[in-house]
């Protein structure tokens, strides 16, 4: 019963490098999303998915790609990292239905130098 | 468009004081959900409460209480007799109704940093 698992917890990248932040949930949730958290900005939605094969952009999608090939996984890709992408990234999921809340992962702290 | 405003960037209180964190929201939906999350220094997001737009009853949970007023589009959070362990960033958030076809997006405010001094 792991909930939402994010890996890695910490990462340092050089400008221009690519990487994938992993997010996996074992609760069969249809909805998954990625947020970034920056000082004074709160959490801003990057991309979200309402089910396998369906993704859409959030508030700050530029520089990030996502795909949703399975219900369990929702990876976030940085194709060419920039210092402006230094942030803490959170993945969240939710089961479809009226009575359920959002479950958040523990976050990935990314530094781009 | 949906928006959540937490005008208080930082609040500092002395232990045992009561403190209220303000949250004002904007939405055109008639059905929506409001949330409060706590983010302690360790960084994880801790769910505190969810309230739907049809339930304006105030809620109390121990030292925590929430005041939901649709007339002023506010969902304020009060901590009674604050403790050092309450020191954290608190986020208010808004989601549209969770019916079929809805995007289920959760929109956050910018957060309020609460520092409780011993």
């Amino acid at each position: 019963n792991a909930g939402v698992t994010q890996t890695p917890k910490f990462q340092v990248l050089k400008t221009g490098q690519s990487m994938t932040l992993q997010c996996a949930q074992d609760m069969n949730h249809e909805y998954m999303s990625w947020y970034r958290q920056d000082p004074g900005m709160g959490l801003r939605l990057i991309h979200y998915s309402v089910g396998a094969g369906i993704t859409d952009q959030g508030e700050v999608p530029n520089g990030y790609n996502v795909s949703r090939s399975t219900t369990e996984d929702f990876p976030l890709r940085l194709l060419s990292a920039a210092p402006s992408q230094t942030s803490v990234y959170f993945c969240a999921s939710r089961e479809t239905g009226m009575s359920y809340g959002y479950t958040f992962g523990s976050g990935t702290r990314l530094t781009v130098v | 468009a949906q928006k959540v405003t937490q005008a208080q960037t930082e609040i500092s209180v002395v232990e045992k004081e009561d403190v209220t964190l303000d949250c004002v929201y904007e939405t055109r939906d008639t059905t929506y959900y409001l949330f409060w999350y706590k983010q302690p220094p360790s960084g994880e997001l801790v769910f505190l409460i969810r309230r739907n737009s049809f339930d304006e009853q105030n809620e109390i949970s121990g030292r925590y209480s929430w005041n939901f007023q649709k007339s002023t589009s506010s969902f304020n959070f009060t901590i009674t007799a604050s403790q050092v362990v309450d020191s954290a960033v608190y986020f208010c958030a808004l989601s549209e109704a969770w019916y079929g076809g809805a995007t289920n997006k959760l929109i956050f405010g910018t957060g309020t940093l609460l520092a409780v001094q011993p």
Side-chain angles (χ1 to χ4, degrees), chain B:
Chain B
Q2 296 178 317
K3 183 179 179 182
V4 176
T5 301
Q6 294 180 257
Q8 303 153 309
T9 306
E10 294 186 33
I11 300 176
S12 182
V13 299
V14 176
E15 204 169 22
K16 298 184 182 177
E17 284 186 22
D18 298 347
V19 58
T20 296
L21 309 182
D22 297 332
C23 173
V24 174
Y25 63 92
E26 297 175 28
T27 181
R28 287 178 286 190
D29 294 328
T30 55
T31 304
Y32 50 89
Y33 291 85
L34 294 163
F35 301 78
W36 276 95
Y37 285 86
K38 174 182 180 180
Q39 187 176 45
S42 53
E44 74 273 22
L45 286 163
V46 179
F47 168 79
L48 295 178
I49 190 172
R50 178 184 70 244
R51 173 68 68 205
N52 74 54
S53 54
F54 294 114
D55 182 1
E56 288 194 71
Q57 279 191 334
N58 292 333
E59 180 156 341
I60 298 174
S61 176
R63 295 184 297 106
Y64 295 171
S65 62
W66 291 269
N67 182 278
F68 176 31
Q69 292 193 341
K70 289 179 73 172
S71 61
T72 56
S73 296
S74 64
F75 187 44
N76 297 337
F77 172 32
T78 297
I79 301 174
T80 302
S82 60
Q83 300 176 1
V84 172
V85 294
D86 296 327
S87 297
V89 179
Y90 291 86
F91 291 100
C92 181
L94 167 69
S95 174
E96 63 189 1
W98 297 335
Y99 50 82
T103 62
N104 297 282
K105 290 187 291 185
L106 184 63
I107 306 300
F108 283 83
T110 52
T112 298
L113 173 62
L114 174 65
V116 181
Q117 310 296 334

